């Protein structure tokens, strides 16, 4: 119940990331069961989930690959598992890559055939967030425009999410005091929560313009295109911290309070977009909404296409030459 989930579904219509998130959570679950509870039957679940994540949305897979790797190593160290457990996890990941190879190998090998190899579809520097946007930004069904002042969609983390962060930090400070006085030992979940909180603020920094130098020096980051896509990682981290705070407080009223707060704070996000309904002519006459591919900047058009977007009369059409295409009309190859 984070606003970003509603944004993906109701505003952006990005169903690939929504499906990918299901595989991400499956991986966290299966890795935890296999490492912490020593349930070897979850090994094939990891294999299938890795393949599903890559095929559902490769950008989401790119964002979560390091997160899942760090999480796996972290709990392996906390649980003091032998090296063979790490080998099993790596083997599952490699087999998942193999199951999805029919998708990602051609995508890499054939990239030189499309404009994506020559152009940057989205300038990431135009879509950084501000602290104000993360704290509160009005809901909208428009675009993520260059800059921050004109964004017509909301990128706030959510009121209950910030409440959970505050509760988790308070609990850790309290436990730190108990540790220093010798009242209570530092438990594994406390260490994991510290890592999650550090990861939360680290990812939040990557969504803001102060991390520009990191984006410029790390080429793979540019494939994410929109820095605010990293909010999906924040969504997962907060989910862990919800479990941490509720289990530590051992108070079921806290869970009910957080769920109620999430429902109330998200009520405006579930309203129909009636103020944004437009006549058909707006879309027919808008030059930005040209007929063509469904990608952002025609980056999947053949590499020899120079006029973007191509202007063509409907009665003539436009021919794109791709070596593997064959078109037959009335039994004749054209």
């Amino acid at each position: 119940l984070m606003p970003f989930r509603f944004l993906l579904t109701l505003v952006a219509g990005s169903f690939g990331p929504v499906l990918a998130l299901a595989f991400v959570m499956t991986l966290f679950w299966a890795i935890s069961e296999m490492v912490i509870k020593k349930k070897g039957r979850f090994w094939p679940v990891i294999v299938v989930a890795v393949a599903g994540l890559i095929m559902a949305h490769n950008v989401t897979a790119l964002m979560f690959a390091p997160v899942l790797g760090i999480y796996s190593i972290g709990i392996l160290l906390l649980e003091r598992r032998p090296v063979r457990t790490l080998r099993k996890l790596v083997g599952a990941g490699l087999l998942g890559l193999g199951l999805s190879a029919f998708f990602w190998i051609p995508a890499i090998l054939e990239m030189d055939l499309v404009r994506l190899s020559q152009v940057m579809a989205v300038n990431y520097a135009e879509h950084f967030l501000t602290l104000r946007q993360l704290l509160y930004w009005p809901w909208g069904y428009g675009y993520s425009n260059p800059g921050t002042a004109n964004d017509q969609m909301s990128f706030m983390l959510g009121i209950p999410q910030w409440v959970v962060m505050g509760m988790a930090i308070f609990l850790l400070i309290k436990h730190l005091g108990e540790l220093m006085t010798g009242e209570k030992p530092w438990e594994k979940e406390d260490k994991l929560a510290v890592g999650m909180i550090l990861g939360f603020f680290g990812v939040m920094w990557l969504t803001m313009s102060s991390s520009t130098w990191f984006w410029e020096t790390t080429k793979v980051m540019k494939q994410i295109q929109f820095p605010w896509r990293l909010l999906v990682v924040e969504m997962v981290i907060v989910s862990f911290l919800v479990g941490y705070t509720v289990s530590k407080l051992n108070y079921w009223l806290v869970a009910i309070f957080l769920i109620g707060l999430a429902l109330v704070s998200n009520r405006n996000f579930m309203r129909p977009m009636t103020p944004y309904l437009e006549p058909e002519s707006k879309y027919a006459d808008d030059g930005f909404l040209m007929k063509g591919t469904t990608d952002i900047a025609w980056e999947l058009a053949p590499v020899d296409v120079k006029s973007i977007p191509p202007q063509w009369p409907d009665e003539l059409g436009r021919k794109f030459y791709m070596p593997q295409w064959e078109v037959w009309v009335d039994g004749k190859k054209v």
Side-chain angles (χ1 to χ4, degrees), residues 265-280:
S265 62
N266 286 325
R267 67 189 185 280
N268 289 334
F269 309 156
M270 293 179 272
R271 294 185 304 178
M273 52 180 292
T274 48
Y276 301 91
L277 294 179
E278 301 284 355
E280 183 183 0

Side-chain angles (χ1 to χ4, degrees), residues 200-215:
F200 177 88
F201 287 107
V203 173
M204 188 173 74
W205 172 71
L206 289 174
T207 67
M208 306 172 74
S209 58
S210 56
S211 65
T212 300
W213 66 268
F214 185 82
W215 286 76

Side-chain angles (χ1 to χ4, degrees), residues 76-92:
L76 281 167
L77 294 175
L78 287 175
E79 299 294 332
R80 298 182 179 179
R81 294 291 182 255
V83 177
R84 65 174 179 270
T85 306
L86 176 61
R87 287 201 296 262
K88 289 181 180 179
L89 291 178
V90 173

Side-chain angles (χ1 to χ4, degrees), residues 160-161 164 168 237-248 254-255 258:
Q161 284 72 25
V164 167
I237 293 176
V238 172
S239 298
F240 271 87
L241 293 175
V242 169
Y244 171 75
T245 54
V246 173
S247 64
K248 281 293 180 180
V254 175
L258 291 174

